[in-house]
Amino acid sequence: MNIKETMEFIESVDWVGSRPGLERVSELLRLLGNPEKACKYIHVAGTNGKGSTASMIASILQEAGYCVGLNTSPYLWSFNERMQVNGQMITDDELCEITELIKPFALGMEDSPTEFEIVSGIAFEYFKRKGCDYVVLEVGMGGRLDATNVVENTEVAVLTNIGLDHTKELGDTVELIAAEKAGIIKPGCSVVAYDQKQSVMDVFRGVAEEKGAAVYCPADFTQLVPEGDSREGQVFSYKGFAHMQLPLLGAHQLNNAAVALEAIEALRARGVAISEEAVREGMRKTVWPARFEIVSRDPWFIVDGGHNPQCAETVRDNLRRYFPEEHHIMMVGILADKDVDSLTDIIDIEADEYITATPNSPRAMSSEELAERLKKYGKPVTACASIEEAVRVSMRRAAETNGIACCVGSLYMAGEARVRGLEIAE
């Protein structure tokens, strides 16, 4: 199989759909020889902050000298981003080889696996082949019935910020969603949680006790001490970790960093050797693109993959925090099944004008329809025929107004917007 054939197989309509349950992925992995049993896991679930938190933990473990897998979804630009070992993406050759191994098993199953289950099988086989000591494993959706929850060797279950997303599948309250996310907790593992609404924390604690988790350690944000904040990054202290440098922007990233540090402390308590220097360097070297990422400085162009009201609030707060005086050009693209009005109501607080684009997804709202909906705010709106055109118009307007262009609304737009922005900036 070449890479074109591989991607056609993975994305085949035969696998389309989300069908909760672990039976199919368990069967697929059994046919593969259960590669998921070869590694130990730091399993990360939540609504927001999963990727940032996972990338911090993986970076620190890598600096500590371990072979570290990082499994995330969705991807920004290249499918290969979803599976990385020590910061390097799976190669096309490796992806093709493992997919060719999996293909006959998937085709032969009476109950066909979903695309995400096939991708999970590829990831587990890849991490086994690379000899990973630890895999930082991000949940796809939910937790309890997510395909990633077949793993048993969970060292630490990490529960990030919970919000209302995927309510049709997970429940219409944060407590119901929290219960689904907490399904990743395994007997004997350590549990780390983002400090949030008490009713959510009660759910986490209850599931941890019910499952017989070894330790439950919620982060304590009252012990976060911000010490420096600029467009270049942040400096902070948390408990015994003094003067830590973090390149990611936004107060919420300090909260995510506190959760990551609690996870590292949980691993240390379980006997994993992680030096102070590894923690410091790993945090400093953390890379997580398209999360209020400054892609260009002349003109200013920022890309954020935020796609729900909580994410929109973060973008709004960061614009106030880092660019309070500038003219704000908001490049927006949203999936039609999202809470569009709630998201745009939040963004509009900081918007001076809008550029719309259609995200790369069959679920996308068209740029024209979104432009019509944004007109209610009484600000200039320009609908663009492509993401590339929207980036060019946004950056041109940023230059003309001595302002800042910010792309927000969907990860399905962020990847291409980021690449086009980098190309224009060059």
Side-chain angles (χ1 to χ4, degrees):
M1 297 177 74
N2 58 34
I3 191 62
K4 182 175 182 292
E5 293 167 336
T6 294
M7 293 312 303
E8 285 175 350
F9 171 75
I10 292 172
E11 297 172 349
S12 166
V13 292
D14 292 341
W15 324 122
V16 167
S18 175
R19 292 181 291 150
L22 303 180
E23 298 83 6
R24 292 175 304 276
V25 69
S26 296
E27 174 65 8
L28 180 61
L29 291 170
R30 184 188 67 77
L31 293 167
L32 286 169
N34 293 112
E36 80 284 2
K37 294 184 177 180
C39 306
K40 295 179 179 179
Y41 298 92
I42 295 88
H43 207 174
V44 185
T47 307
N48 296 309
K50 296 193 301 291
S52 300
T53 305
S55 65
M56 293 177 203
I57 296 169
S59 182
I60 291 169
L61 285 172
Q62 182 182 339
E63 286 298 314
Y66 297 104
C67 181
V68 185
L70 176 61
N71 188 70
T72 59
S73 64
Y75 60 90
L76 287 174
W77 185 244
S78 167
F79 176 88
N80 305 50
E81 297 168 24
R82 297 178 69 156
M83 307 159 204
Q84 302 180 31
V85 172
N86 286 354
Q88 299 299 309
M89 296 185 296
I90 186 172
T91 65
D92 285 352
D93 287 346
E94 290 168 318
L95 180 58
C96 293
E97 182 181 339
I98 295 174
T99 303
E100 193 158 14
L101 169 69
I102 284 180
K103 182 177 179 179
F105 296 129
L107 291 173
M109 288 173 59
E110 185 175 341
D111 188 5
S112 296
T114 66
E115 179 180 329
F116 187 76
E117 289 164 353
I118 289 173
V119 172
S120 296
I122 294 170
F124 288 130
E125 177 66 20
Y126 175 60
F127 295 135
K128 173 190 172 184
R129 292 186 179 195
K130 301 300 280 189
C132 291
D133 300 304
Y134 297 96
V135 174
V136 185
L137 184 65
E138 181 185 338
V139 165
M141 182 178 69
R144 182 175 63 91
L145 298 177
D146 185 77
T148 62
N149 206 29
V150 292
V151 300
E152 298 174 354
N153 303 332
T154 302
E155 293 286 302
V156 184
V158 180
L159 300 161
T160 68
N161 197 13
I162 303 297
L164 292 173
D165 204 4
H166 300 296
T167 53
K168 181 179 178 182
E169 298 85 0
L170 304 179
D172 58 2
T173 70
V174 289
E175 292 80 14
L176 287 172
I177 292 172
E180 287 296 314
K181 307 287 187 183
I184 66 169
I185 297 172
K186 300 294 192 301
C189 79
S190 299
V191 181
V192 169
Y194 188 106
D195 188 13
Q196 53 200 295
K197 188 177 178 181
Q198 188 58 51
S199 59
V200 169
M201 303 303 282
D202 289 343
V203 170
F204 290 161
R205 185 179 298 279
V207 175
E209 291 174 355
E210 177 188 329
K211 293 283 188 71
V215 179
Y216 172 72
C217 298
D220 183 358
F221 296 155
T222 65
Q223 297 200 50
L224 262 175
V225 182
E227 297 170 341
D229 189 15
S230 72
R231 296 170 183 177
E232 309 303 319
Q234 304 184 77
V235 180
F236 70 97
S237 292
Y238 179 71
K239 294 186 174 179
F241 300 99
H243 316 307
M244 306 291 291
Q245 296 180 43
L246 178 68
L248 308 184
L249 300 182
H252 69 295
Q253 293 292 9
L254 294 189
N255 292 344
N256 292 335
V259 175
L261 292 173
E262 290 288 356
I264 294 301
E265 282 292 80
L267 286 168
R268 282 174 159 178
R270 298 174 73 89
V272 182
I274 306 171
S275 69
E276 181 75 24
E277 185 61 21
V279 177
R280 189 171 301 283
E281 281 301 291
M283 190 65 71
R284 185 180 68 82
K285 293 179 180 178
T286 297
V287 175
W288 193 235
R291 276 69 178 182
F292 207 79
E293 178 189 12
I294 297 175
V295 171
S296 168
R297 293 172 180 267
D298 186 19
W300 290 101
F301 182 56
I302 289 173
V303 176
D304 190 283
H307 60 276
N308 60 35
Q310 278 182 305
C311 297
E313 288 172 356
T314 295
V315 171
R316 176 200 65 198
D317 293 346
N318 282 347
L319 287 171
R320 289 174 176 170
R321 187 184 188 100
Y322 298 106
F323 300 92
E325 305 298 330
E326 284 80 1
H327 182 83
H328 296 157
I329 300 102
M330 305 303 295
M331 176 184 157
V332 187
I334 304 175
L335 301 187
D337 57 5
K338 294 295 182 181
D339 188 351
V340 177
D341 290 333
S342 292
L343 196 153
T344 57
D345 284 350
I346 295 166
I347 292 172
D348 185 67
I349 295 171
E350 286 299 313
D352 293 303
E353 64 178 282
Y354 292 103
I355 311 295
T356 64
T358 306
N360 294 318
S361 169
R363 294 152 49 207
M365 177 177 288
S366 72
S367 61
E368 294 80 8
E369 181 181 350
L370 180 57
E372 283 300 314
R373 293 180 69 156
L374 289 172
K375 286 179 180 178
K376 67 181 180 180
Y377 298 115
K379 296 169 183 176
V381 183
T382 303
C384 293
S386 67
I387 293 174
E388 180 176 3
E389 179 189 351
V391 172
R392 291 188 178 279
V393 172
S394 298
M395 293 181 74
R396 185 180 72 239
R397 288 294 298 143
E400 291 170 351
T401 62
N402 195 28
I404 174 173
C406 180
C407 170
V408 67
S410 176
L411 273 173
Y412 292 95
M413 177 175 66
E416 182 175 351
R418 182 176 184 271
V419 169
R420 302 306 175 205
L422 288 168
E423 290 173 348
I424 295 169
E426 290 178 354

